[in-house]
């Protein structure tokens, strides 16, 4: 729909319901993420390597099946129905973790993978259907929508570690279950607001056959995912095969596209590959950065005590602070014809990621105390850089897909965006293992050197990649304009 208003905060009513549903769903997911690696290391006795690679395989599978969920939303059940069904499945997974996280860890993670696959692409696809191609509010809408994700994650990452500390691991995970319950309640009460939008399948009568097949597929995905998490080598190999399949389908879409669509799809593919680098770095937050905070950071921010896992909440905190300003800036620059191109924003985002890791590397080398600890205040600055980078890459990734993709394949392309992220999650896990501390632990002064070296290498490599991306901005910008 075309709107005369260009206010970055004025959007159709369905946008705000989708904002709320996404916020509470992400509350559940990021609450679990904040605890999971520390739970594996501190409660189950996993080595750093095993915890990092298990979590990364889990995160990769979470993203890998989003493409399938997008297809179900586009062609089989409809975006609205698939989103709701996925939310119900996620609630079951978090409920199992809340009942007994030791006993049900792998089955619960498998169910969460299946539920997230069904859910994740469909709210984004519904948001994209609210705006016509060329609507200047699209970047601002997806930036604000991305803020919804981070409101939920900030609340969960702040609350769940505190509940876990006070009442145990099961209670910490149970909070995630409550968040998903609120998401489902919001949808049930206000679902009529979404009636005007959806994929073609949403406006057809619900097929019992299709619903049954989707249920059987969900059970299969949950079961195979739980099994794969116990066999990580097989999981990674199957993931690579799945990525190749999706890449092949993507190439088929490019081949079948109309001439005026083809160049946009090619640029979309290039930017997705660039985003893989960013998400490999993003994966350090729940892995190497999380363990770094637990082992080498004073547990306070400007004198306020915090749990080690809660440092991750700095990421959504900064995104909530910065998102409204970026939304207004995009609208203002668009009106004046001076807005940065998508390739330019992606390159700038990578520069911010470089600054984030170089900050930590220099702090570890020059600002640590004699005991091997650094001030938690430095993580505030590092996460600020990382969060700006995230808004410029991940926050605009959905807007990029919406802007450059034909309407007929929106759900699949949203899923492909997340599928490429699954590769990044595996790469991020391998990167995190470069800073693994030996079993049994070592003195903080030694672990500080290990983490500092990793962050320095990440920063330098990321800086080189950012330079290459910057050099290619004019070329990609030219093709988008044409």
């Amino acid at each position: 729909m075309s709107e005369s208003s260009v206010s970055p905060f004025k959007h159709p009513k369905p946008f705000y319901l989708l904002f709320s549903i996404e916020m509470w769903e992400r509350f559940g997911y990021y609450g679990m993420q904040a605890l999971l690696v520390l739970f594996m290391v501190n409660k189950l006795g996993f080595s750093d390597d095993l915890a990092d690679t298990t979590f990364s395989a889990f995160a990769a599978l979470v993203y890998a099946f989003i493409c399938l969920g997008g297809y179900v939303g586009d062609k089989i059940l409809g975006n609205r129905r698939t989103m709701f069904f996925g939310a119900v499945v996620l609630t079951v997974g978090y409920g199992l973790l809340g009942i007994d996280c030791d006993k049900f860890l792998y089955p619960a993670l498998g169910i969460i993978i299946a539920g997230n696959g069904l859910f994740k692409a469909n709210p984004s696809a519904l948001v994209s259907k609210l705006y016509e191609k060329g609507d200047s509010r699209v970047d601002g809408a997806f930036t604000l929508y991305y803020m919804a994700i981070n409101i939920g994650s900030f609340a969960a990452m702040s609350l769940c570690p505190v509940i876990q500390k006070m009442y145990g691991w099961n209670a910490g995970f149970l909070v995630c279950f409550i968040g998903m319950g609120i998401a489902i309640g919001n949808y049930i009460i206000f679902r009529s607001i979404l009636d005007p939008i959806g994929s073609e399948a949403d406006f057809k009568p619900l097929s019992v056959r299709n619903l049954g097949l989707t249920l059987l597929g969900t059970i299969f995905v949950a079961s195979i995912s739980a099994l794969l998490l116990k066999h990580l080598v097989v999981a990674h190999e199957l993931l690579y095969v799945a990525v190749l399949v999706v890449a092949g389908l993507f190439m088929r879409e490019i081949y079948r596209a109309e001439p005026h669509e083809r160049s946009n799809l090619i640029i979309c593919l290039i930017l997705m590959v660039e985003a893989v680098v960013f998400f490999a770095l993003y994966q350090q937050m729940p892995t190497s950065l999380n363990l770094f905070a637990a082992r080498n950071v004073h547990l306070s921010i400007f004198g306020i005590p915090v749990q080690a896992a809660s440092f991750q909440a700095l990421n959504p905190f900064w995104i909530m602070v910065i998102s409204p300003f970026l939304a207004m800036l995009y609208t203002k620059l668009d009106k004046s014809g001076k807005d940065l191109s998508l390739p330019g924003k992606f390159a700038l985002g990578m520069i911010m990621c470089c600054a984030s890791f170089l900050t930590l590397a220099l702090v570890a080398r020059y600002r640590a105390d004699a005991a091997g600890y650094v001030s938690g205040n430095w993580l505030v600055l590092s996460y600020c850089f990382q969060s700006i980078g995230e808004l410029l890459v991940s926050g605009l990734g959905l807007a990029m897909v919406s802007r450059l993709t034909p309407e007929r394949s929106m759900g699949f392309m949203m899923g492909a965006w997340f599928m490429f992220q699954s590769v990044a999650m595996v790469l991020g896990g391998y990167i995190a293992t470069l800073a693994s501390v030996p079993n049994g632990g070592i003195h903080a002064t030694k672990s500080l050197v290990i983490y500092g070296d990793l962050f320095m290498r990440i920063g330098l490599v990321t800086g080189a990649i950012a330079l290459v991306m910057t050099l290619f901005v004019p070329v990609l910008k030219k093709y988008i304009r044409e």
Side-chain angles (χ1 to χ4, degrees):
M1 63 183 67
S2 178
E3 301 283 347
S4 58
S5 171
V6 293
S7 168
F9 300 107
K10 186 171 183 179
H11 298 279
K13 285 185 179 180
F15 173 83
Y16 300 102
L17 176 57
L18 293 167
F19 182 103
S20 172
I21 293 170
E22 182 75 15
M23 178 183 72
W24 284 109
E25 187 276 327
R26 291 289 88 182
F27 177 96
Y29 182 83
Y30 281 105
M32 174 212 62
Q33 174 182 293
L35 300 177
L36 197 53
V37 170
L38 293 177
F39 168 69
M40 292 176 184
V41 172
N42 296 335
K43 184 66 166 62
L44 299 183
F46 283 22
S47 67
D48 283 12
D49 278 6
L50 182 57
D52 287 338
T53 52
T54 299
F55 179 83
S56 297
F58 163 74
L61 290 169
V62 160
Y63 283 99
F65 288 109
I66 291 174
C67 190
L68 183 60
Y71 179 82
V72 173
D74 280 348
K75 307 296 184 183
I76 299 177
L77 292 183
N79 294 137
R80 297 196 306 267
R81 294 166 181 154
T82 307
M83 177 181 70
F84 177 73
F85 184 40
V88 172
V89 175
L90 282 167
T91 305
V92 174
Y94 295 130
L96 287 178
L97 285 177
I99 293 170
D100 192 335
C101 49
D102 291 38
K103 181 178 180 181
F104 295 122
L105 176 64
Y106 289 107
L109 293 182
I111 292 171
I112 291 168
I113 288 167
N116 191 85
L118 289 166
F119 180 92
K120 186 60 180 172
N122 290 289
S124 306
L126 289 170
V127 170
S128 72
K129 295 177 189 299
L130 297 173
Y131 306 92
E132 290 183 351
K133 298 292 184 182
D135 194 319
S136 64
R137 297 172 300 161
V138 171
D139 280 8
F142 275 103
T143 300
L144 290 176
Y145 182 74
Y146 203 70
M147 187 171 70
I149 295 172
N150 288 279
I151 292 173
S153 61
F154 174 76
M157 288 176 169
S158 301
L159 180 61
C160 288
V162 175
I163 298 298
Q164 181 275 317
K165 183 73 172 179
M166 296 173 63
Y167 302 107
W169 293 103
N170 288 338
F173 288 119
L174 188 62
V175 176
C176 306
F177 168 82
I178 295 171
M180 281 308 309
I182 296 174
I184 290 174
N186 277 351
Y187 178 83
I188 291 173
I189 294 171
F190 300 107
R191 65 185 181 276
S192 61
I193 295 176
L194 298 179
D195 285 348
I197 61 169
S199 64
E200 185 178 340
D202 276 304
F203 300 102
K204 296 179 179 178
L206 177 62
S207 166
V208 176
R209 175 181 175 275
N210 287 345
L211 180 61
L213 291 174
T214 303
L215 178 60
L216 289 175
T218 301
I219 294 171
F220 174 78
V221 168
S223 302
I224 198 68
S225 296
L227 184 63
L228 288 173
L229 290 177
K230 296 182 179 181
H231 301 84
L232 297 177
V233 174
V234 177
H236 292 165
E237 290 175 349
L238 289 177
L239 177 66
Y240 298 144
V241 171
V243 170
L244 290 175
V245 170
V246 171
L249 293 174
F250 200 121
M251 297 304 295
R252 187 183 68 173
E253 288 290 332
I254 293 174
Y255 176 76
R256 291 182 174 182
E258 298 295 329
H260 68 280
E261 299 170 339
R262 189 168 296 127
S263 61
N264 278 351
L265 288 175
I266 292 172
I267 292 169
C268 190
L269 178 61
I270 292 171
L271 294 180
M272 283 185 180
V273 173
E274 290 182 355
V276 168
V277 179
F278 168 81
F279 285 106
L281 306 182
Y282 184 83
Q283 185 68 354
Q284 302 313 301
M285 282 190 274
T287 53
S288 63
L289 282 172
N290 197 6
L291 294 172
F292 170 66
R295 290 166 176 158
N296 288 102
V297 177
H298 292 295
L299 300 182
S300 67
I301 298 175
F302 299 113
I304 302 172
V306 297
Q307 298 298 314
S310 292
F311 278 104
Q312 295 174 78
L314 288 168
N315 173 238
F317 166 79
W318 278 118
I319 287 177
M320 287 189 293
V321 171
I322 298 167
S323 289
F325 295 102
L326 278 182
M328 290 187 289
L329 180 63
Y330 292 150
T331 301
K332 184 176 180 179
L333 292 175
D334 182 77
K335 288 173 65 177
S336 63
K338 297 179 180 179
D339 195 12
L340 280 175
S341 64
L342 275 171
K345 291 172 182 175
F346 270 50
L348 182 58
M350 200 60 61
I351 292 171
M352 291 294 102
C353 292
C354 169
S356 172
F357 284 97
L358 286 181
T359 296
L360 291 180
L362 294 174
V363 167
R365 183 168 297 182
Y366 298 112
R367 301 297 296 175
D369 60 26
Y373 288 84
V374 302
S375 169
N377 299 340
W378 288 109
L379 269 71
V380 177
L381 178 61
S382 174
Y383 273 99
C384 178
F385 288 135
Q386 181 82 354
S387 300
I388 295 172
E390 182 176 348
L391 282 169
L392 290 167
V393 178
S394 182
L396 289 178
L398 299 177
M400 172 196 71
V401 175
S402 175
R403 178 182 291 179
L404 301 178
T405 298
E407 182 71 23
R408 65 181 179 275
S409 55
M410 187 65 68
F412 169 76
M413 289 301 182
M414 289 289 183
W417 165 252
F418 292 113
M419 186 68 186
F420 278 95
Q421 292 181 35
S422 69
V423 179
M425 297 303 168
V426 175
L427 294 175
Y430 283 131
I431 292 171
T433 61
L434 298 176
S436 294
V437 170
N439 289 349
I442 56 176
H443 193 273
T445 54
K446 293 183 179 180
S447 61
L448 182 71
V449 174
I450 293 173
Y451 289 117
D453 288 346
L454 174 66
F455 299 150
M456 179 62 75
R457 281 186 279 177
I458 290 175
L460 293 176
V461 172
T462 304
I465 293 171
L467 177 60
V468 173
M469 290 171 62
T470 302
L471 293 175
F472 276 93
V473 165
V475 177
L476 297 179
K477 184 178 177 180
K478 176 177 179 291
Y479 278 106
I480 289 178
R481 185 169 58 248
E482 291 177 353

